Amino acid sequence: MRTRSNSGVRLDYYQRVVHKLILDHQQPVTGLFPASPHNDHAWIRDNLYCILAVWGLSMAFKKIADQDEDRAKTYELEQSCVKLMRGLLMAMMQQKEKVEKFKSTQHPLDALHAKYSSATGRTVVKDDEWGHLQIDSISLYLLILAQMTASGLQIVFSLDEVAFIQNLIFYIESAYCTPDYGIWERGDKTNHGLPELNASSIGMAKAALEAMNELDLFGARGGPSSVIHVLADEAQKCQAVLQSMLPRESNSKELDSGLLSIISYPAFAVDDPQLIAKTRDAIVIKLQGKYGCKRFLRDGHKNPREDPNRLYYEPWELRMFENIECEWPLFFCYLILDYCFQGDKANVSDYTQRLEKIMLRNDDGIKLVPELYAVPADKADLEQHEPGSQDRIPLGRCPFIWAQSLYILGKLLQEGFLAVGELDPLNRRLCSEKKPDVVVQIVILAEDNEIRDKLLEYDLHAQTIAEVAPIEVQPARVLSYLYTYLGRNKKLGLSGRKSRDVGILSTSKLYSLNDRIFAFTPQNFDYEEYYMSRDPALLASTFMANVAFLGMSWKQMLGRPTITLLATQYLLDQGRIPMAMITTMKKLKSGYINGTRVTLGNLGDFLSTSAITNLSFLGSQEDGYPDKLNPRVQSYLEEHLLKSLSSKASCLARPAAGGGDRARALRRRMSVRGAIRKTRSINVDSETLGMEGEYAGPGKLERKPSWLEVDRASGRSPSPEDARKKFLANEVVYGGTSTTSLGAGTPTIEVTREQTPSPPKEGNSPGAAKAPRARVASESASVYAEQETDELLAALRETESLDEQGDILQYLVDAHGLDFNTGMLDNGRAVTVRELLKALYEKACAQKLWGLVRHTAGMLGKRVEDLAKAVTDLLVRQKQITVGMPPSNEHTITAPLPENELRQLIHLAYGDDESTAMLTQELLVYLAMFIRTEPQLFLEMLRLRVGLIIQVMATELSRTLSCDGEEASEHLLNLSPFEMKNLLYHILSGKEFAINSANSLCIVKEKLDKSKVGRGNFSIVSNKSTRYGKKSQIMLEGQSLQGNIDTAPLGEADRQGQWLRRRRLDGALNRVPRDFYPRVWAVLEKCQGLIIQGKILQPNLTQEMTSGELKFALAVETVLNSIPQPEYRQLVVEALMVLTLVVECKAVGHLGGAITVEHLVHKANQLFLDEQRRVGGDATLCCAKAEAGAGAALLCGGAAGVCQHLYDSAPSGSFGTMTHLARAAAALLLERLPHDAPLECAIT
């Protein structure tokens, strides 16, 4: 035998180590590794990490193969890897039914198992006996499969296996919104088996989706049918959620060392170098010890104080585990690999020394990595007082093969047997490198020659659809249909892709199919779906957002993105191309739009530079004709060659009315006028929002629940969806009593919510409402007899006004339901009310009457496209959502729901108020748009209360247009979608704004005619200066009319109302100062509880949860949300901040008993009023009057009995709220301090 080189000898040593520690345990039949000699269960995750050392060693041998034996060793090691990977594949394929089911349900009990028998590959525990749903382990399998295949191993043998792997991609696609049990198999850290959204699972899924995309599983020998396809948007969603979560792991774990596996080897899932460093530093600072890293804070596993007889922990127990959690050497192995990939030799040797100090040797002298180091039970107290002072003992398995395998990889890298590129043949490690700017290619196509010519007038050259042939242009829904054929397999019973969602990244590629090329228009431009796409300004702004999104998110794809836009007849506004479109297209010609590089051109010119994907999976693979199109796809494509849409609005044409009927018809019409208005529930009345100061006279001392108002806008009772069905059956409906209590010092009034669509007209005193009284379903029904429906239908034909048609149809729907046959005929077919509504909806869309559009869309049950996706986008970024009007009717959404359940929930929350239900859906979509593009707007906001946001939007309008609440809500519902989005943006960003209003005289002449309210096209303008007069610029048939509203009282109020408005906005948006929740945690540590609105935050919360935990923040927030008035809530937050300062400055050792936070606020108010009396300030006109008694506190109508002027004080300064709150806190502490001690007081 020839002499070996030194490197050969060293490798032979590693080969012996790997053989002894790892390969000796591999089961000969299945290829799996048992957990230990006494436990034959094989975990997917542990098996994958075990085999990495074997794979690394095989590549090292391949390089130095200086003898035939080395080649043989290489092959033997490689085949061990193949054997294991195939063993896991066979185990999972035996559960193919689960994969199929999970695609639809995402239910934990339908998940693939996390562990199998290493002897047979069959399942070892039942579905409900283990937390099987671990998306990270399936993702890790796919990631390592991709890396091994790319390195030249042949693991997948048949097309059936390819189909199964393609379905595993669908299995992990929804990782970004699927709570699972995570890398430690326990979900929530109390170990009660509650799955939660884990950053480590999402990161692993993102890495797997990117690694698998366009990968040929047959390696160099494959063809188009063995390629895996991933929709780029799915990985992008994981990326976005990951960005928003890190360095947090989940709701209950504020940090987890398992994140090391996704910020570096093996996943490399994070693109942002700063975020990687931030996460790594957080782990090193908070979790690293002498013996490794803790898995997460308060981890009870093998803890000396853990009760070994039960699996779960009581929430209060978790505090006992603090500072004595076990430390795992495994994480030193991850850190060594991380620094090897960075080329940071100093840190590599530092961590290697630390690791080798704590490794144990076996009889053969081989160094072993133990599983974990625990504190001995008798030293737990000492360790708790002085963390890191006690010696620990090794527990668990030794060697811990997962860690041992990573240790061996680290040694191979350090000694130069492997280069980092060999462990990562797909180059995932480069994903955080800087990339050149993306150029977005944009193609504008015209539907026909007429539109092409109209574009030419503006010097915009576009091709028609006919001219771009042979390239075919289709809407996005065609692409989503084609993708349902991906991964179908009859033999395995797999049905292909379930989700119908295709995002902008997918539609920005071109697709080839045999010899045809397809381009797809973006999904949010599908006109059939929804009214938001009828607003050209909104389309333009959505388009700009899409371009910016592509500029940021187009990564790891060959070629440039191409957006194909279709200019259709739909877009024309009275035959003209809208200006919003023209200005956007002109911007495109400049080459830059909002900082993203763009290039405008023809489809044909972009073929060579675009990303092109081959849709080879549409062949008839299973019938043996891979090159022939599947016949079903063939017929679908032929049907869908673009058709033009024609709308029919013929049913509402006007026949001439006979003279005699005219008067009766007029009378009839008067009786239904305002039917739509009566359904509104937006409440801008002063009571609930604490707005008295602006309009109310001094007489309003009694505060009553809003639905007792006799006012038309808010006087209707919220009633559930089913009221209408009962109503048709003409049953007698009993109102269910619901009790509302409106906070301090208000009598509790029992209120009956009548479950009827018609507003209560009279008898509305609180006394009358107390008794639940039966009443016939519709009062109006008794007035109008059956034969008069015909007169209404006649009136419907006569009237030109769409509003009147809307009112009549609203009445008909209330009285007869949507499917009532009107007796009209359209081409010999009977016409139902529903069809009339559809025609009205089309007309309202064409005339841009947005209030009517929203209402009819709601009545027709139209859904906002992507509603479920929008809600999911908000939820997965750790924002909870409530819908419904506070304080009595809010429903909280905490987990993603399917589309139809969401719609039911929203309609339930708003009763019959279709317009507001529609508006809520619309706002949810805008909120999701903003959180995707500008997540910084949502900092320090945990819960988005949409009902409150709507009320604040209406309040803002009533403030800027100085009109009353009813008109303001009418204005709000008539804003175009684009203006609505802008108003929401201004409210979120807290910018001041003014409103330029066109053709809307009703603002100047107050209440000139209620029916004209709100037809104005408002444009919302950012106000640079904070002070401005209330001027409406009103354009009336070309002449400009500068209407200056009487500014004396209100202009003054506007300058004054600045801080009140700021607090009201922050309170409504639930915005809190930075690090607010961890600081409240510190206050709770030092007192017996905090009382807010009668609800107690118990001090034991600090025992159950750590300070940075999301669950704790939500607990605090839930209590704060019980305060109905936003500005009062904000003062309570300020009071809490003062308490945190007291604690942080260590002013006192302990704050004593439970603290009622509102007492602080009221005490501060008292101090404020005393001072106002002393200096003769503004408040002497209301609350600080010399002779004011107890009842006078509400004179200025400030919320919760606090003076309006205090709400409107800046936080800082000698008259600021902080000064008064600090004095109030000092007074509180004075009561609680020992009196004999001398007090040192220095105010800085």
Side-chain angles (χ1 to χ4, degrees), residues 90 535 554 715:
M90 294 308 112
D535 181 9
W554 189 263

Side-chain angles (χ1 to χ4, degrees), residues 292-307:
C293 299
K294 301 162 178 173
R295 298 191 304 179
F296 46 87
L297 296 175
R298 300 187 177 179
D299 173 13
H301 181 62
K302 298 248 166 101
N303 195 299
R305 300 209 170 133
E306 180 184 43
D307 178 351

Side-chain angles (χ1 to χ4, degrees), residues 50 337 343 492 525 642 652 748 755 865 963 1126 1201:
C50 290
L337 285 173
L492 290 170
F525 289 83
L642 284 168
L652 293 178
T748 303
Q755 301 190 321
E865 42 127 15
C963 55

Side-chain angles (χ1 to χ4, degrees), residues 147-164:
Q147 294 278 28
M148 286 183 172
T149 304
S151 76
L153 297 188
Q154 173 87 46
I155 294 167
V156 175
F157 292 174
S158 70
L159 286 176
D160 295 325
E161 288 171 12
V162 173
F164 180 75

Side-chain angles (χ1 to χ4, degrees), residues 55 58-59 62 78 145-153 422 425-426:
W55 178 50
S58 76
M59 292 189 287
K62 193 187 258 178
E78 284 181 347
L145 172 68
Q147 294 278 28
M148 286 183 172
T149 304
S151 76
L153 297 188
E422 291 171 287
L426 289 169

Side-chain angles (χ1 to χ4, degrees), residues 194-246:
L194 303 167
E196 47 181 15
L197 212 53
N198 290 296
S200 51
S201 296
I202 295 171
M204 204 54 87
K206 171 193 185 259
L209 290 168
E210 289 177 347
M212 281 306 235
N213 191 20
E214 306 286 322
L215 181 82
D216 192 330
L217 287 178
F218 291 174
R221 308 192 191 94
S225 42
S226 53
V227 173
I228 294 292
H229 295 268
V230 179
L231 272 82
D233 298 275
E234 306 302 329
Q236 162 55 32
K237 286 177 197 161
C238 291
Q239 152 81 14
V241 176
L242 194 58
Q243 291 272 10
S244 74
M245 284 179 82
L246 288 177

Side-chain angles (χ1 to χ4, degrees), residues 108 131 133 179-182 185-198 250-253 312-313 315 1111:
L133 176 52
D180 71 340
Y181 293 102
E185 309 193 292
R186 47 176 51 193
D188 185 284
K189 72 176 167 202
T190 51
N191 217 7
H192 281 264
L194 303 167
E196 47 181 15
L197 212 53
N198 290 296
S250 68
N251 278 7
S252 71
K253 305 184 195 75
Y312 63 91
Y313 310 124
K1111 275 168 48 180

